[in-house]
Amino acid sequence: MQTVAVCGVDSAVACKLLTLLDQDASVDRVIGVGRRPPVGEYDKLDYVAINPLAPWDAVLADRGAETAIFLAFDELAPTPVERNLAAFRHFLKAATVSKCSTLTLISSVLAYGAREDHHEVLYEGTLLNPSSRLGQAYLEVEKACYEYVRTFPSARLQILRPALTVGPDTDNILSRALKSNARMLIPGSADIAFQFVHEDDLARAVHHLVLSDAVGIYNLAADS
């Protein structure tokens, strides 16, 4: 029976993940932290309202968290990079105080960068060369996770790099652009390819990963 902590519980993916954890007999308790409570009701959820930009060091330790999941990157924030990095630092400090045995980071394929010289298929060992400030932020938090493992050598580190998330409840840069009457997305070239992963599949992948013994980095994208 595990106690799982989820940081960033007010997103569409988080709500779907909470449902899966709520139904999982191997999970005893779910600690949900975030600015706002998730939509829906969950029997195992212990929600803790926090300011992600302020310290909350003892929250996970006080509740006996064993697994800590970071889902809290917000690409819609007025200053997303600085806010995201600050939120992650507080999350990592809380996981360190709790000495979590599993640390799961939801990163992004943005860490690879959009480069003309990339191969058609990027494997997990491909050099990270982000081409945007947000991609650089994902690279920075991944590096910080390695410091966590140096502190706790027996901890399981899991890094998931999903393609751009889409779905009926997803709220990100792409979804807002598509819903806006004032914008139109026009590819700059016919050769440009977009790759997506559905929010349901991302939630299922995170659920499968955190309850497995898997360690390492995993890309997540559509079969094609």
Side-chain angles (χ1 to χ4, degrees):
M1 302 290 282
Q2 290 194 45
T3 298
V4 179
V6 180
C7 179
V9 291
D10 56 349
S11 69
V13 172
C15 292
K16 294 174 186 295
L17 175 60
L18 291 176
T19 298
L20 295 172
L21 294 173
D22 212 42
Q23 297 169 349
D24 196 311
S26 68
V27 176
D28 180 53
R29 186 183 187 192
V30 179
I31 306 163
V33 295
R35 290 171 296 181
R36 298 179 295 273
V39 175
E41 297 182 1
Y42 310 92
D43 293 336
K44 299 177 183 178
L45 178 64
D46 175 11
Y47 170 68
V48 183
I50 63 163
N51 175 0
L53 303 182
W56 45 282
D57 299 358
V59 168
L60 303 188
D62 289 347
R63 291 161 177 79
E66 301 161 276
T67 296
I69 307 169
F70 187 75
L71 275 170
F73 257 44
D74 181 5
E75 299 177 12
L76 299 175
T79 53
V81 173
E82 289 72 19
R83 290 174 64 94
N84 287 334
L85 291 174
F88 179 78
R89 284 192 289 268
H90 293 310
F91 161 81
L92 196 61
K93 181 63 181 296
T96 301
V97 172
S98 189
K99 300 179 180 179
C100 291
S101 57
T102 300
L103 189 72
T104 305
L105 168 67
I106 312 308
S107 182
S108 170
V109 294
L110 289 175
Y112 292 114
R115 305 287 178 178
E116 291 185 0
D117 57 349
H118 272 324
H119 296 292
E120 183 176 355
V121 177
L122 300 182
Y123 295 96
E124 286 81 355
T126 300
L127 178 68
L128 300 182
N129 190 12
S131 52
S132 66
R133 183 66 186 100
L134 187 58
Q136 292 171 359
Y138 281 114
L139 176 58
E140 289 178 35
V141 298
E142 287 195 21
K143 289 181 176 179
C145 288
Y146 297 133
E147 294 298 325
Y148 183 88
V149 175
R150 279 190 268 273
T151 302
F152 303 107
S154 62
R156 287 195 298 269
L157 174 59
Q158 304 169 333
I159 296 177
L160 190 64
R161 294 177 184 152
L164 189 61
T165 307
V166 295
D169 300 316
T170 296
D171 189 11
N172 59 20
I173 292 174
L174 177 64
S175 67
R176 290 212 168 180
L178 292 174
K179 294 175 183 177
S180 172
N181 293 326
R183 298 182 185 178
M184 179 179 294
L185 294 179
I186 303 176
S189 166
D191 296 330
I192 293 178
F194 286 91
Q195 192 165 24
F196 308 105
V197 61
H198 196 277
E199 60 193 28
D200 290 350
D201 294 322
L202 176 53
R204 283 193 290 264
V206 177
H207 173 241
H208 178 78
L209 187 62
V210 299
L211 296 179
S212 72
D213 293 328
V215 175
I217 301 167
Y218 303 90
N219 291 335
L220 181 64
D223 291 341
S224 59

